[in-house]
Amino acid sequence: FYIHSNLTAMYDKIKLMLYDLPTGYNWQTVLQRTVVKDYFANGTGGKGYWHGRKVIVTETYVSFEGSLPKCLWGHNTRTMSLEDTERCIMMLSEELGVPMYNAEVESLEFAHNFEMSQPPISYLRKLSGIKKFIPNQWSGERSGTAYFDYEGTRIKFYDKMSEAKKKRELPKVGRNSLSNYLLRYEMTLGIDELFELFGKGITANELWDKYVFWKLVAEWFGYYEDIDKLPDDCWDVEFDTLKSAKDFDKWCICIANEGQNLSYYMKYILFKNRKNRLPEDRILHTQFQKRIQEAIKWQKEHFKTSNLMEELTSKIEKYLVWLLEQSADGMSIAEEHRIFSTAC
């Protein structure tokens, strides 16, 4: 199994906040080390750019927000190792003149691009949702993007080539070797979610620690496993599959659900925005949701797993095997036991 050399890093966009400023810190000096955009009207700081990414410098903190691979290469379609992550953060620290490696990580994107056999939109249609997460209302064909939100966590899938072309962020070298069908799977965690995952806040210099990295890998894969994935197209039904009028009702619900996430639409559009509210509405809403879930269960029982989802799952699993066993950031069994037993 071979992983294409031009596939994206796991770490992408991050937000860092440095509050523990060094002795002799002068915000004007630090800001002048960036491409200065403007100064705040109250005279306490300003905004600039470092390698095209936003830096805010004030009397009390320095912040950085942006894509690490884009800082290094101008695009995020290339593999970024933990060594690259360290190099980027240390370069940021050196060029700003403040220890950004000690900064708190307020949010991070964890992502990978996959070369697929079909256009990414085909796969987006099969991603139904995650329990408790709110899907974007404009998923699938209308946006080329599917994402699911819950508090400070976002799970997102989209057409990477389409986005990179639109932003003109394709690599100058090797762009011809990139597949036209690049599907990106991205996990974004906010500061509270990072604290919950690690039991504490994490700092920038922990991003290249294997324990932190592999905890994030496990979280990223875990969310993928939690996604409800639709079976093959409901229109491929045979008459013999419909054993009763109830089966016909379920089939109709499944067809409607493929075009619109019915559970979400019922709860957040119809039920939430109802005009003449009555106490018994909740009972009726629960009954509707039960019907939808029964239909989805029936669909999974009577329609085979989508070949598209089998392909995507296989690509993700093979990537994780490569990452663990062959990449520079992998671990031996002994190393895995040592790192995680010590950390726990």
Coordinates of all heavy atoms in Angstrom, one line a residue, residues 8-12 79-82 85 108-112 114 155 157 185-189 193-194 197-198 202 206-226 315-325 327-331 336 339-340:
T8 N -2.4 15.7 2.3 CA -2.3 16.7 3.3 C -1.8 16.3 4.6 O -1.9 15.1 5.0 CB -3.7 17.4 3.5 OG1 -3.5 18.5 4.3 CG2 -4.7 16.5 4.1
A9 N -1.4 17.2 5.4 CA -1.0 17.0 6.8 C -2.2 16.7 7.7 O -3.3 16.9 7.3 CB -0.3 18.2 7.4
M10 N -1.9 16.1 8.8 CA -3.0 16.0 9.8 C -3.3 17.4 10.4 O -4.4 17.8 10.5 CB -2.7 15.0 10.9 CG -2.5 13.6 10.3 SD -4.0 12.9 9.6 CE -5.0 12.4 11.0
Y11 N -2.2 18.1 10.9 CA -2.4 19.4 11.4 C -2.6 20.4 10.3 O -1.9 20.4 9.3 CB -1.2 19.9 12.3 CG -1.0 19.2 13.6 CD1 0.1 18.5 13.9 CD2 -2.1 19.2 14.5 CE1 0.3 17.8 15.1 CE2 -1.9 18.5 15.7 CZ -0.7 17.9 16.0 OH -0.6 17.2 17.2
D12 N -3.6 21.3 10.5 CA -3.7 22.4 9.5 C -3.9 23.7 10.2 O -2.9 24.2 10.8 CB -4.9 22.1 8.5 CG -4.9 22.9 7.3 OD1 -4.0 23.8 7.2 OD2 -5.8 22.8 6.4
T79 N 1.9 16.4 2.6 CA 2.1 15.8 3.9 C 2.9 16.6 4.8 O 4.0 17.1 4.4 CB 2.7 14.4 3.7 OG1 1.9 13.6 2.9 CG2 2.9 13.7 5.1
M80 N 2.5 16.8 6.0 CA 3.2 17.6 7.0 C 3.5 16.7 8.2 O 2.6 16.2 8.9 CB 2.4 18.8 7.5 CG 3.2 19.7 8.4 SD 2.2 21.2 8.9 CE 3.4 22.2 9.5
S81 N 4.8 16.4 8.4 CA 5.2 15.5 9.5 C 5.2 16.3 10.8 O 5.1 17.5 10.8 CB 6.5 14.9 9.2 OG 7.5 16.0 9.2
L82 N 5.4 15.5 11.9 CA 5.5 16.2 13.2 C 6.8 17.1 13.2 O 6.8 18.1 13.9 CB 5.5 15.2 14.3 CG 4.2 14.4 14.5 CD1 4.4 13.5 15.7 CD2 3.0 15.3 14.7
T85 N 5.8 20.2 11.7 CA 5.0 21.0 12.7 C 6.0 21.7 13.6 O 5.8 23.0 13.9 CB 4.1 20.1 13.4 OG1 3.3 19.4 12.5 CG2 3.2 20.9 14.4
L108 N -7.8 23.8 16.8 CA -7.0 23.2 15.8 C -7.8 22.4 14.8 O -8.9 21.9 15.2 CB -5.9 22.3 16.4 CG -6.2 21.1 17.2 CD1 -6.5 19.9 16.3 CD2 -5.0 20.7 18.1
E109 N -7.4 22.4 13.6 CA -8.0 21.5 12.6 C -7.0 20.3 12.3 O -5.8 20.5 12.2 CB -8.1 22.3 11.2 CG -9.2 23.3 11.2 CD -9.3 24.0 9.9 OE1 -8.5 23.8 9.0 OE2 -10.2 24.9 9.8
F110 N -7.7 19.2 12.3 CA -6.9 17.9 12.0 C -7.5 17.3 10.8 O -8.7 17.0 10.8 CB -7.1 17.0 13.3 CG -6.0 16.1 13.6 CD1 -4.8 16.6 14.0 CD2 -6.2 14.7 13.4 CE1 -3.7 15.7 14.3 CE2 -5.2 13.8 13.7 CZ -3.9 14.3 14.1
A111 N -6.8 17.1 9.8 CA -7.4 16.7 8.5 C -6.5 15.9 7.6 O -5.3 15.8 7.8 CB -7.8 18.0 7.7
H112 N -7.1 15.2 6.6 CA -6.4 14.5 5.6 C -7.2 14.5 4.3 O -8.4 14.5 4.4 CB -6.1 13.1 6.1 CG -5.1 12.3 5.2 ND1 -3.8 12.6 5.2 CD2 -5.3 11.4 4.2 CE1 -3.1 11.8 4.3 NE2 -4.1 11.1 3.7
F114 N -8.0 12.5 0.7 CA -8.0 11.2 0.1 C -8.3 11.2 -1.4 O -9.3 11.9 -1.8 CB -9.1 10.3 0.8 CG -8.8 10.1 2.3 CD1 -9.3 10.9 3.3 CD2 -7.9 9.0 2.7 CE1 -9.0 10.7 4.6 CE2 -7.6 8.8 4.0 CZ -8.1 9.6 5.0
I155 N -17.1 18.4 12.3 CA -16.7 17.3 11.5 C -17.1 17.7 10.0 O -18.3 18.0 9.8 CB -17.3 16.0 11.9 CG1 -17.0 15.7 13.3 CG2 -16.9 14.9 10.9 CD1 -15.5 15.6 13.6
F157 N -16.5 17.4 5.6 CA -16.0 16.7 4.4 C -16.3 17.6 3.2 O -17.4 18.2 3.1 CB -16.8 15.4 4.2 CG -16.6 14.4 5.2 CD1 -17.3 14.4 6.4 CD2 -15.7 13.3 5.0 CE1 -17.1 13.4 7.4 CE2 -15.5 12.3 6.0 CZ -16.2 12.4 7.1
Y185 N -11.3 15.1 4.7 CA -12.0 14.9 6.0 C -11.3 15.6 7.1 O -10.1 15.4 7.3 CB -12.1 13.4 6.3 CG -12.5 13.1 7.7 CD1 -13.4 13.9 8.4 CD2 -11.9 12.0 8.4 CE1 -13.8 13.6 9.7 CE2 -12.3 11.8 9.7 CZ -13.2 12.6 10.4 OH -13.6 12.3 11.7
E186 N -12.0 16.5 7.7 CA -11.4 17.5 8.6 C -12.2 17.5 10.0 O -13.4 17.5 10.0 CB -11.6 18.9 8.0 CG -10.9 20.0 8.7 CD -11.0 21.3 7.8 OE1 -10.2 21.4 6.8 OE2 -12.0 22.1 8.0
M187 N -11.4 17.5 11.1 CA -12.0 17.6 12.4 C -11.5 18.9 13.1 O -10.3 19.1 13.1 CB -11.6 16.4 13.3 CG -11.9 16.5 14.8 SD -11.3 15.1 15.8 CE -9.5 15.6 15.9
T188 N -12.4 19.8 13.6 CA -11.9 21.0 14.3 C -12.4 20.9 15.7 O -13.5 20.6 16.0 CB -12.6 22.2 13.6 OG1 -12.2 22.3 12.3 CG2 -12.1 23.5 14.3
L189 N -11.4 21.1 16.6 CA -11.7 21.1 18.1 C -11.4 22.4 18.7 O -10.3 23.0 18.4 CB -10.8 20.0 18.8 CG -11.0 18.5 18.3 CD1 -10.1 17.6 19.1 CD2 -12.5 18.1 18.5
E193 N -13.0 21.5 24.0 CA -13.0 20.1 23.5 C -11.5 19.5 23.7 O -11.4 18.3 24.0 CB -13.4 20.0 22.1 CG -14.9 20.2 21.9 CD -15.4 21.6 22.3 OE1 -14.6 22.6 22.0 OE2 -16.5 21.8 22.8
L194 N -10.5 20.3 23.5 CA -9.2 19.9 23.7 C -8.9 19.6 25.2 O -8.3 18.6 25.5 CB -8.2 20.9 23.2 CG -8.1 21.1 21.7 CD1 -7.3 22.4 21.3 CD2 -7.5 19.9 21.0
L197 N -10.5 16.3 26.0 CA -9.8 15.2 25.4 C -8.5 14.8 26.2 O -8.2 13.7 26.4 CB -9.5 15.5 23.9 CG -8.7 14.4 23.2 CD1 -9.5 13.1 23.1 CD2 -8.3 14.9 21.8
F198 N -7.8 15.9 26.6 CA -6.5 15.7 27.3 C -6.5 15.8 28.8 O -5.5 15.6 29.5 CB -5.5 16.6 26.7 CG -5.2 16.3 25.2 CD1 -5.7 17.1 24.2 CD2 -4.4 15.2 24.9 CE1 -5.4 16.8 22.9 CE2 -4.1 14.9 23.6 CZ -4.6 15.7 22.6
I202 N -3.5 22.3 26.2 CA -2.2 21.9 25.6 C -1.6 23.1 25.0 O -2.2 24.1 24.6 CB -2.4 20.8 24.5 CG1 -3.3 21.3 23.3 CG2 -3.0 19.5 25.1 CD1 -3.3 20.3 22.2
E206 N 3.5 20.9 22.4 CA 3.0 19.5 22.6 C 2.4 18.9 21.3 O 2.1 17.7 21.2 CB 1.9 19.5 23.7 CG 2.4 19.8 25.1 CD 1.3 19.7 26.1 OE1 0.6 20.8 26.3 OE2 1.2 18.7 26.8
L207 N 2.2 19.8 20.3 CA 1.6 19.3 19.0 C 2.5 18.3 18.3 O 1.9 17.4 17.6 CB 1.4 20.5 18.1 CG 0.3 21.5 18.5 CD1 0.2 22.6 17.6 CD2 -1.1 20.8 18.7
W208 N 3.8 18.3 18.6 CA 4.6 17.3 17.9 C 5.0 16.1 18.9 O 5.8 15.3 18.6 CB 5.9 17.9 17.3 CG 6.7 18.8 18.2 CD1 7.7 18.4 19.0 CD2 6.6 20.2 18.3 NE1 8.3 19.4 19.6 CE2 7.6 20.6 19.2 CE3 5.8 21.2 17.7 CZ2 7.9 21.9 19.5 CZ3 6.0 22.5 18.1 CH2 7.0 22.8 19.0
D209 N 4.3 16.1 20.0 CA 4.4 15.0 21.0 C 3.6 13.8 20.5 O 2.4 14.0 20.1 CB 4.0 15.4 22.4 CG 4.0 14.3 23.4 OD1 3.0 13.6 23.5 OD2 5.1 14.1 24.0
K210 N 4.1 12.6 20.4 CA 3.4 11.5 19.8 C 2.1 11.2 20.6 O 1.1 10.7 20.0 CB 4.3 10.3 19.7 CG 5.3 10.4 18.5 CD 6.0 9.1 18.2 CE 6.8 9.2 17.0 NZ 7.5 7.9 16.6
Y211 N 2.2 11.3 21.9 CA 0.9 11.0 22.7 C -0.2 11.9 22.2 O -1.3 11.5 22.0 CB 1.2 11.2 24.2 CG 0.0 11.1 25.0 CD1 -0.6 9.9 25.2 CD2 -0.6 12.2 25.6 CE1 -1.8 9.8 26.0 CE2 -1.7 12.1 26.4 CZ -2.3 10.9 26.6 OH -3.5 10.8 27.3
V212 N 0.1 13.2 22.2 CA -1.0 14.2 21.8 C -1.4 13.9 20.3 O -2.6 13.9 20.0 CB -0.4 15.7 21.9 CG1 -1.4 16.7 21.2 CG2 -0.2 16.0 23.3
F213 N -0.5 13.7 19.4 CA -0.8 13.5 18.0 C -1.7 12.2 17.9 O -2.7 12.3 17.2 CB 0.5 13.3 17.2 CG 0.3 12.9 15.8 CD1 -0.2 13.9 14.9 CD2 0.6 11.7 15.3 CE1 -0.4 13.5 13.6 CE2 0.4 11.3 14.0 CZ -0.1 12.3 13.1
W214 N -1.3 11.1 18.5 CA -2.1 9.9 18.3 C -3.4 9.9 19.0 O -4.3 9.2 18.6 CB -1.2 8.7 18.7 CG -0.3 8.4 17.5 CD1 1.0 8.7 17.4 CD2 -0.6 7.7 16.3 NE1 1.5 8.3 16.2 CE2 0.5 7.6 15.5 CE3 -1.8 7.1 15.8 CZ2 0.5 7.0 14.2 CZ3 -1.8 6.5 14.6 CH2 -0.7 6.5 13.8
K215 N -3.5 10.7 20.1 CA -4.8 10.9 20.7 C -5.8 11.6 19.7 O -7.0 11.3 19.6 CB -4.7 11.7 22.0 CG -4.2 10.9 23.2 CD -5.3 10.2 23.9 CE -6.2 11.1 24.8 NZ -7.1 10.3 25.6
L216 N -5.2 12.6 19.0 CA -6.0 13.3 18.0 C -6.3 12.4 16.8 O -7.5 12.5 16.3 CB -5.2 14.5 17.6 CG -5.1 15.7 18.6 CD1 -4.1 16.7 18.2 CD2 -6.5 16.4 18.8
V217 N -5.4 11.6 16.4 CA -5.7 10.6 15.3 C -6.9 9.7 15.7 O -7.8 9.5 14.9 CB -4.4 9.8 15.0 CG1 -4.8 8.6 14.1 CG2 -3.3 10.6 14.4
A218 N -6.8 9.2 17.0 CA -7.9 8.3 17.4 C -9.2 9.0 17.5 O -10.3 8.4 17.1 CB -7.5 7.7 18.8
E219 N -9.2 10.3 17.9 CA -10.4 11.0 18.0 C -11.0 11.3 16.6 O -12.2 11.1 16.3 CB -10.2 12.4 18.7 CG -11.4 13.2 19.1 CD -12.1 12.7 20.3 OE1 -11.7 11.6 20.8 OE2 -13.0 13.3 20.8
W220 N -10.1 11.6 15.7 CA -10.5 11.9 14.3 C -11.1 10.6 13.6 O -12.2 10.7 13.0 CB -9.2 12.3 13.5 CG -9.3 12.6 12.1 CD1 -9.7 13.7 11.5 CD2 -8.9 11.7 11.0 NE1 -9.5 13.6 10.1 CE2 -9.0 12.3 9.8 CE3 -8.3 10.4 11.0 CZ2 -8.7 11.8 8.6 CZ3 -8.1 9.8 9.8 CH2 -8.3 10.5 8.6
F221 N -10.5 9.5 13.8 CA -11.0 8.2 13.3 C -12.3 7.8 14.0 O -13.3 7.4 13.4 CB -10.0 7.1 13.4 CG -10.5 5.8 12.8 CD1 -10.8 5.7 11.5 CD2 -10.6 4.7 13.6 CE1 -11.3 4.5 11.0 CE2 -11.1 3.5 13.1 CZ -11.4 3.4 11.8
G222 N -12.4 8.1 15.3 CA -13.6 7.7 16.1 C -14.8 8.5 15.6 O -15.9 7.9 15.5
Y223 N -14.7 9.8 15.3 CA -15.8 10.5 14.7 C -16.2 10.0 13.4 O -17.4 9.9 13.1 CB -15.4 12.0 14.6 CG -15.6 12.8 15.9 CD1 -14.6 13.4 16.5 CD2 -16.9 12.8 16.5 CE1 -14.7 14.1 17.7 CE2 -17.0 13.5 17.7 CZ -16.0 14.2 18.3 OH -16.1 14.8 19.5
Y224 N -15.3 9.6 12.6 CA -15.7 9.0 11.3 C -16.5 7.7 11.5 O -17.5 7.5 10.8 CB -14.4 8.6 10.4 CG -14.8 7.9 9.2 CD1 -15.4 8.6 8.1 CD2 -14.7 6.5 9.0 CE1 -15.8 8.0 6.9 CE2 -15.1 5.9 7.9 CZ -15.7 6.6 6.8 OH -16.1 5.9 5.7
E225 N -16.1 6.9 12.4 CA -16.8 5.7 12.7 C -18.2 6.0 13.2 O -19.2 5.2 13.0 CB -16.1 4.8 13.8 CG -14.8 4.2 13.2 CD -14.2 3.1 14.2 OE1 -14.0 3.5 15.4 OE2 -14.1 2.0 13.8
D226 N -18.4 7.1 13.9 CA -19.7 7.4 14.5 C -20.7 8.0 13.5 O -21.9 8.1 13.8 CB -19.5 8.5 15.6 CG -18.9 7.9 16.9 OD1 -18.8 6.7 17.0 OD2 -18.4 8.7 17.7
K315 N -9.9 3.4 2.5 CA -8.9 4.4 2.3 C -8.4 5.0 3.7 O -7.2 5.1 3.9 CB -9.4 5.6 1.4 CG -9.7 5.2 0.0 CD -8.6 5.5 -0.9 CE -9.1 5.2 -2.4 NZ -8.0 5.5 -3.3
I316 N -9.4 5.3 4.6 CA -9.0 5.8 5.9 C -8.3 4.8 6.7 O -7.3 5.1 7.3 CB -10.3 6.3 6.6 CG1 -10.9 7.6 5.9 CG2 -10.0 6.6 8.1 CD1 -12.2 8.1 6.5
E317 N -8.8 3.6 6.7 CA -8.1 2.5 7.5 C -6.7 2.2 7.0 O -5.8 2.1 7.8 CB -9.0 1.2 7.5 CG -10.2 1.4 8.3 CD -11.1 0.2 8.2 OE1 -10.9 -0.7 7.3 OE2 -12.1 0.1 9.0
K318 N -6.5 2.2 5.7 CA -5.2 1.9 5.1 C -4.2 3.1 5.4 O -3.1 2.9 5.7 CB -5.3 1.7 3.6 CG -5.9 0.4 3.2 CD -6.0 0.2 1.7 CE -6.5 -1.2 1.4 NZ -6.7 -1.4 -0.1
Y319 N -4.8 4.3 5.4 CA -3.9 5.5 5.7 C -3.5 5.4 7.2 O -2.3 5.6 7.5 CB -4.7 6.8 5.5 CG -4.0 8.0 6.1 CD1 -2.8 8.4 5.5 CD2 -4.5 8.6 7.2 CE1 -2.1 9.5 6.1 CE2 -3.8 9.7 7.7 CZ -2.6 10.1 7.2 OH -2.0 11.2 7.7
L320 N -4.3 5.0 8.1 CA -4.0 4.9 9.5 C -2.9 3.8 9.7 O -2.0 4.0 10.5 CB -5.2 4.6 10.3 CG -6.2 5.8 10.4 CD1 -7.4 5.4 11.3 CD2 -5.6 7.0 10.9
V321 N -3.0 2.7 9.0 CA -2.0 1.6 9.1 C -0.7 2.2 8.6 O 0.4 1.9 9.2 CB -2.4 0.4 8.2 CG1 -1.3 -0.6 8.1 CG2 -3.6 -0.3 8.9
W322 N -0.7 2.9 7.4 CA 0.6 3.5 6.9 C 1.1 4.5 7.9 O 2.4 4.5 8.2 CB 0.3 4.2 5.6 CG 1.5 4.9 5.1 CD1 2.5 4.4 4.3 CD2 1.8 6.3 5.3 NE1 3.4 5.4 4.1 CE2 3.0 6.6 4.6 CE3 1.1 7.3 6.0 CZ2 3.6 7.8 4.6 CZ3 1.7 8.6 6.0 CH2 2.9 8.8 5.3
L323 N 0.3 5.3 8.5 CA 0.7 6.3 9.4 C 1.4 5.7 10.6 O 2.4 6.2 11.1 CB -0.5 7.2 9.8 CG -0.2 8.5 10.6 CD1 0.5 9.5 9.7 CD2 -1.5 9.1 11.1
L324 N 0.8 4.6 11.1 CA 1.3 4.0 12.3 C 2.6 3.1 12.0 O 3.6 3.2 12.8 CB 0.3 3.1 12.9 CG 0.6 2.3 14.2 CD1 0.9 3.2 15.4 CD2 -0.5 1.3 14.6
E325 N 2.6 2.4 10.9 CA 3.6 1.4 10.7 C 4.8 1.9 9.8 O 5.9 1.3 9.9 CB 3.0 0.1 10.1 CG 2.0 -0.5 11.1 CD 1.4 -1.8 10.5 OE1 1.8 -2.1 9.3 OE2 0.6 -2.5 11.2
S327 N 5.1 5.6 8.4 CA 5.5 7.0 8.4 C 6.5 7.3 9.5 O 6.7 6.6 10.4 CB 4.2 7.8 8.6 OG 3.9 7.9 10.0
A328 N 7.1 8.5 9.3 CA 8.1 9.0 10.3 C 7.4 9.3 11.7 O 8.1 9.3 12.7 CB 8.7 10.3 9.8
D329 N 6.1 9.4 11.7 CA 5.4 9.7 13.0 C 4.7 8.4 13.5 O 3.9 8.5 14.5 CB 4.4 10.8 12.7 CG 5.0 12.0 12.1 OD1 6.1 12.4 12.5 OD2 4.3 12.6 11.3
G330 N 5.1 7.3 13.0 CA 4.5 6.0 13.5 C 5.1 5.6 14.8 O 6.0 6.2 15.4
M331 N 4.7 4.4 15.3 CA 5.2 3.9 16.6 C 5.3 2.4 16.5 O 4.5 1.7 15.9 CB 4.2 4.2 17.7 CG 4.0 5.7 18.0 SD 2.9 5.9 19.5 CE 1.3 5.5 18.7
E336 N 4.5 2.4 21.5 CA 3.1 2.7 21.8 C 2.8 2.4 23.3 O 2.1 3.2 23.9 CB 2.3 1.8 20.9 CG 0.8 2.1 20.9 CD 0.0 1.3 19.9 OE1 0.6 0.7 19.0 OE2 -1.2 1.2 20.1
I339 N 4.7 5.1 25.5 CA 4.1 6.5 25.4 C 2.8 6.5 26.1 O 2.5 7.5 26.9 CB 4.0 6.9 24.0 CG1 5.4 7.1 23.4 CG2 3.2 8.2 23.9 CD1 5.5 7.4 21.9
F340 N 1.9 5.6 25.8 CA 0.5 5.7 26.4 C 0.4 5.3 27.8 O -0.4 5.8 28.6 CB -0.4 5.0 25.4 CG -0.8 5.8 24.2 CD1 0.0 5.7 23.1 CD2 -1.8 6.7 24.2 CE1 -0.3 6.5 22.0 CE2 -2.1 7.5 23.1 CZ -1.4 7.4 22.0

